Amino acid sequence: MDRTPPPIEVHGLTKRHGRVLAVDALSFDVQAGRVTGFLGPNGAGKSTTMRLVLGLDRPDAGETRINGVPYRQLRWPVREVGALLETKAFHPGRSARGHLEALAAGGGIPRQRVEESLDLVGLTDVADRRAGTFSLGMAQRLGIAAALLGQPSVLLLDEPSNGLDPEGIRWLRELLRSLAAEGRTVLVSSHLISEMALTADHLVVIGHGRLLSDASLAALTAEYGSLETAFLTLTANDDLDGNSVAGPSATDHHTPDRRRDDTSLAAVTRRRVPTRRNP
Amino acid sequence: MSAVPDHDQSYGFSHAARMEWIKLRTLRSTRWTLLATVAGAVGIAVAIGANSRDRSSDLTNNILAGIAPGLLMLGILGVLTMTSEYSSGMILSTLAVVPNRARLLAAKASVLGLAALAVGEAAAFLAFLTGSATLPDGQRVPTLDQPAVLRAVVLSGAGLSLVSLLGLGLGAILRHSPIALGVYVVTGFLGGQFALLFAPSVARYVPLGIVGNSLAVVTPKADDLSPWAGLALLCLYAAAALGTGGWLLTRRDT
């Protein structure tokens, strides 16, 4: 039987940053046609996971696939996957239009998509200005334009609402929902739980690089009352697990595990500190 | 849904090269660097030509000293072509489009190398023509129909292209602008000065010294490499830097 693979697959993904286990045997799939929120506290491994899916870094173990293929082997990467990892993934001396033109040329994307993407994110009027002069919100819009340039079927967006004003956040929410409604796959990370509750249909929650939950918004709110409560309960239990259990996976025994450091009072109280953006 | 791949099987070297060409020409700093290379070469060549008194010296070599600022500027351009990707975050966008690191570096090297070759030859020929035109009367004016003179001019332009590739390779190896620029300047310029003082026999192998002392000469000097040996060694340096840089790019995390 030929089955279409899930658009995004993460299997047993493990990545160390020096002595820190950033992603720990993480596995999940992301399905098409819905917005999947990717949640976790600061340092949970969301960005690391996204970088691994995009082939920017190499995993220590496990693998990731997009439409059944590792990113580095995609035939037309930016036509299949649109990504936003950091607000500023452009040269400050190049205009927004020049930036998108270069990416379009490399991806074999028709020139007209540059103007369409600029128009979509509302940057047409400033398209010839050096992108280094852009505000945070404008830079973020340029990143979103770059992600949508190749009309990809899969989108990976790390904190896309960073720097957007309330109007921009609503615009982004509606954009993501309409992209999912067109049958595309949308994986979006955010610290803004309430925003995710409005945007996402499905949620993947991770803590300390491990999967804590992979469930629909409806299921989580039914069980916990609200997404916020679900998130805080899941991540709190995760921290407590680290306190009581030596380590859930064999690899941890050989690792000076961050988790054990995190069993301190600081780690428990850290949850109460509102954290809005990645360091 | 996703755009269906049309005629081509997948993105290739030509796509990567087109992207790199647009990236190069859409930066104002590139234009200024290339313009300054030509302007500096002509300005110095005219100054040297007009003040030449010594009939016995290699006048072509003297005039071609004008390309010296270009050696610095094109090398820096090469370094920054790679390192600015990392300092700005652009590398994330670049590798999203061209995840094949070796193909990316090959495209960068081809585009930069050809652009630097075109500008380098323009700088060398303009410097020679203007510099020799301003030689005082009574000098034996070198002309391009003398094979050794033509060789000196052509190889000077080629030298400018090769040092830009050496810079690109260093940038790929080191990735941080200040470090890579420092290494380029120290090995390329200061290294040559120190070598002359403390180890004169090594000086002939210093990359930037080769351009002035081996490539841009009509009469090869006894202490230096011959023009063709110098060219071969400079090619080797650039290839070694690019090869090492490419090897590291494919193995390191971004």
Side-chain angles (χ1 to χ4, degrees):
Chain A
M1 279 287 289
D2 246 8
R3 262 188 72 241
T4 312
I8 303 176
E9 295 170 87
V10 173
H11 292 309
L13 197 65
T14 299
K15 179 70 179 177
R16 285 170 210 289
H17 287 147
R19 304 174 68 187
V20 175
L21 197 57
V23 177
D24 182 3
L26 181 64
S27 298
F28 64 89
D29 292 340
V30 183
Q31 304 296 340
R34 64 194 190 192
V35 176
T36 301
F38 194 27
L39 300 180
N42 274 344
K46 302 188 296 294
S47 298
T48 304
T49 302
M50 286 194 169
R51 292 178 67 94
L52 291 165
V53 173
L54 294 168
L56 290 166
D57 300 341
R58 288 178 180 280
D60 292 308
E63 60 174 358
T64 66
R65 290 171 184 273
I66 292 198
N67 296 330
V69 180
Y71 188 91
R72 291 194 190 200
Q73 290 167 30
L74 289 172
R75 299 201 299 174
W76 291 104
V78 275
R79 290 198 209 163
E80 293 184 56
V81 187
L84 172 74
L85 279 191
E86 282 175 21
T87 305
K88 289 181 178 164
F90 51 76
H91 192 294
R94 197 173 286 125
S95 70
R97 183 173 275 127
H99 176 68
L100 295 179
E101 278 176 355
L103 301 184
I109 296 163
R111 174 69 184 70
Q112 84 204 42
R113 280 295 304 155
V114 171
E115 299 308 322
E116 289 171 9
S117 303
L118 285 167
D119 191 45
L120 177 72
V121 301
L123 287 179
T124 304
D125 292 345
V126 293
D128 289 319
R129 248 173 68 183
R130 295 167 70 246
T133 65
F134 282 6
S135 68
L136 190 59
M138 290 158 82
Q140 196 73 347
R141 285 168 184 270
L142 179 54
I144 294 168
L148 296 174
L149 193 61
Q151 296 176 289
S153 63
V154 176
L155 283 150
L156 280 93
L157 309 170
D158 196 3
E159 303 281 351
S161 55
N162 250 1
L164 296 182
D165 56 19
E167 191 195 345
I169 289 177
R170 168 180 265 186
W171 164 79
L172 178 68
R173 184 195 309 145
E174 285 165 2
L175 175 69
L176 297 181
R177 297 208 55 83
S178 70
L179 290 167
E182 290 168 22
R184 296 178 211 264
T185 307
V186 182
L187 180 66
V188 51
S189 81
S190 179
H191 280 81
L192 306 174
I193 306 293
S194 52
E195 179 53 34
M196 275 294 105
L198 293 173
T199 310
D201 309 293
H202 194 90
L203 294 136
V204 171
V205 185
I206 66 171
H208 299 121
R210 290 168 301 157
L211 187 69
L212 301 181
S213 169
D214 182 352
S216 70
L217 178 70
L220 285 172
T221 47
E223 188 177 347
Y224 294 94
S226 76
L227 179 59
E228 187 175 47
T229 308
F231 176 80
L232 293 174
T233 310
L234 286 164
T235 52
N237 289 343
D238 179 47
D239 282 345
L240 292 175
D241 282 350
N243 201 7
S244 54
V245 185
S249 72
T251 52
D252 286 346
H253 293 290
H254 308 289
T255 319
D257 196 350
R258 229 174 52 100
R259 187 176 307 117
R260 246 157 276 156
D261 302 334
D262 274 1
T263 56
S264 64
L265 186 62
V268 180
T269 53
R270 189 193 54 196
R271 295 194 314 275
R272 299 197 196 115
V273 182
T275 47
R276 290 229 162 74
R277 50 190 301 274
N278 265 327
Chain B
M1 294 298 292
S2 68
V4 180
D6 25 77
H7 323 293
D8 301 325
Q9 284 283 307
S10 74
Y11 82 97
F13 172 80
S14 65
H15 295 92
R18 242 172 287 162
M19 173 175 78
E20 290 305 324
W21 170 238
I22 295 175
K23 280 159 72 175
L24 194 67
R25 70 174 168 76
T26 49
L27 283 182
R28 252 184 276 175
S29 52
T30 307
R31 271 168 275 165
W32 286 118
T33 305
L34 299 181
L35 194 66
T37 296
V38 176
V42 171
I44 292 177
V46 167
I48 290 179
N51 292 294
S52 287
R53 295 288 175 268
D54 182 4
R55 286 159 170 263
S56 61
S57 66
D58 185 340
L59 291 173
T60 304
N61 185 246
N62 293 356
I63 291 166
L64 287 174
I67 63 166
L71 292 177
L72 185 62
M73 284 185 282
L74 290 181
I76 290 173
L77 180 67
V79 167
L80 291 179
T81 296
M82 202 68 223
T83 57
S84 71
E85 293 253 352
Y86 288 92
S87 56
S88 66
M90 179 70 200
I91 192 70
L92 297 175
S93 298
T94 299
L95 289 177
V97 179
V98 182
N100 184 326
R101 275 76 172 154
R103 191 175 294 166
L104 174 69
L105 189 62
K108 274 189 183 297
S110 306
V111 167
L112 177 74
L114 285 175
L117 182 65
V119 172
E121 294 296 354
F125 274 92
L126 284 173
F128 175 79
L129 294 173
T130 53
S132 56
T134 52
L135 285 170
D137 292 341
Q139 303 268 24
R140 273 192 54 203
V141 179
T143 53
L144 288 173
D145 53 20
Q146 297 164 275
V149 173
L150 184 63
R151 181 196 64 213
V153 176
V154 170
L155 291 192
S156 296
L160 285 170
S161 173
L162 288 169
V163 298
S164 77
L165 294 179
L166 177 61
L168 180 68
L170 282 177
I173 293 168
L174 297 164
R175 294 194 289 189
H176 296 282
S177 305
I179 300 172
L181 290 175
V183 168
Y184 179 75
V185 171
V186 167
T187 57
F189 286 94
L190 303 180
Q193 302 304 312
F194 280 112
L196 276 178
L197 283 175
F198 301 111
S201 60
V202 181
R204 75 184 78 166
Y205 305 114
V206 174
L208 302 194
I210 290 175
V211 180
N213 299 327
S214 296
L215 300 190
V217 297
V218 172
T219 324
K221 301 170 197 166
D223 292 340
D224 287 299
L225 297 172
S226 74
W228 299 111
L231 184 71
L233 185 60
L234 205 54
C235 285
L236 195 67
Y237 285 150
L242 288 171
T244 309
W247 185 80
L248 286 170
L249 284 183
T250 56
R251 271 152 193 80
R252 282 185 305 214
D253 282 351
T254 303

